[in-house]
Amino acid sequence: MKRQGLLSATGVILLGLIVLMTLHEWDNPLEEDREAFLNAPLIIADNITAKAYDPETGQVQYDLKADHLEQYQRQALTQLIAPDLRMENENGAWTIHSQRGEVRDNGDIIVFLDQVKAHSETNGVDLTTGELRYLNKENRVRAPGDLTLRHRDGSTRAGRMDADLTSGEMTLEQGVVSEFTGN
């Protein structure tokens, strides 16, 4: 009987050691596992809608929708699939759509990437480019690369654009070419 009690006590001690080793491994994962954990998305969501409000007026600054979202805490970055942005102010309403997007600096910058299309509902202007940046705090939109604007009088191509959404002023730079259609 003493032998059976000794085996039971040994079994309990071994089980306890295995549990302690397992808990120790969870507390101290391998370095590769730690890197993978730190680089993994903090939030993953599908079919999202986000709104930003003007702190002074309480009006909606923009309404952002996307098919998929992955938010990373370590990089302070949110990646979007098929983002759609709608913004409206006293100068009119714009919608922007692209294949991919990124939200940077806690929502202060929204970058639209790959087949970017923007449309002004007020004056019927369509813009296409490879990258478009919406700067929320400055209420500006920038296209750092080639773009095409289609308007009721024809089309305009440029190498870069900067637009102030508050005043409605737009600056086009680098090889600006306009073609007008005769109506």
Side-chain angles (χ1 to χ4, degrees):
M1 276 315 215
K2 283 188 171 190
R3 187 169 171 94
Q4 201 173 27
L6 181 63
L7 289 175
S8 295
T10 305
V12 169
I13 290 172
L14 283 174
L15 181 62
L17 284 172
I18 291 170
V19 167
L20 286 173
M21 288 171 47
T22 303
L23 290 174
H24 177 73
E25 183 63 34
W26 279 344
D27 287 341
N28 299 311
L30 298 173
E31 192 57 38
E32 311 86 56
D33 293 340
R34 183 182 310 271
E35 267 315 297
F37 175 75
L38 292 173
N39 289 324
L42 181 65
I43 299 172
I44 298 173
D46 289 327
N47 301 318
I48 62 105
T49 298
K51 292 185 180 191
Y53 296 89
D54 184 316
E56 295 173 12
T57 65
Q59 299 279 355
V60 175
Q61 284 181 310
Y62 65 81
D63 183 4
L64 177 65
K65 297 179 181 181
D67 290 349
H68 183 78
L69 170 145
E70 291 183 4
Q71 184 174 2
Y72 297 86
Q73 181 177 7
R74 188 177 198 184
Q75 301 163 336
L77 173 72
T78 302
Q79 295 179 332
L80 306 168
I81 301 294
D84 272 305
L85 177 79
R86 178 176 169 74
M87 57 189 149
E88 192 169 346
N89 63 21
E90 57 277 351
N91 293 320
W94 278 86
T95 57
I96 303 171
H97 175 77
S98 67
Q99 298 297 312
R100 299 182 304 117
E102 296 178 349
V103 179
R104 301 175 185 167
D105 297 336
N106 295 318
D108 290 339
I109 300 172
I110 302 173
V111 181
F112 296 88
L113 302 159
D114 297 335
Q115 302 175 20
V116 182
K117 296 177 183 176
H119 174 73
S120 169
E121 296 174 11
T122 308
N123 57 22
V125 172
D126 290 312
L127 178 142
T128 56
T129 187
E131 179 180 334
L132 190 67
R133 296 172 181 229
Y134 172 59
L135 304 143
N136 186 26
K137 283 185 178 177
E138 300 173 32
N139 203 27
R140 300 184 83 77
V141 176
R142 290 190 177 130
D146 293 343
L147 66 120
T148 301
L149 286 166
R150 288 179 184 75
H151 41 83
R152 67 178 167 257
D153 297 325
S155 65
T156 301
R157 292 184 312 277
R160 187 169 51 212
M161 177 205 68
D162 183 64
D164 183 329
L165 299 175
T166 304
S167 68
E169 293 178 23
M170 179 186 296
T171 303
L172 299 172
E173 298 175 344
Q174 295 182 334
V176 179
V177 176
S178 292
E179 298 174 4
F180 295 96
T181 57
N183 288 342

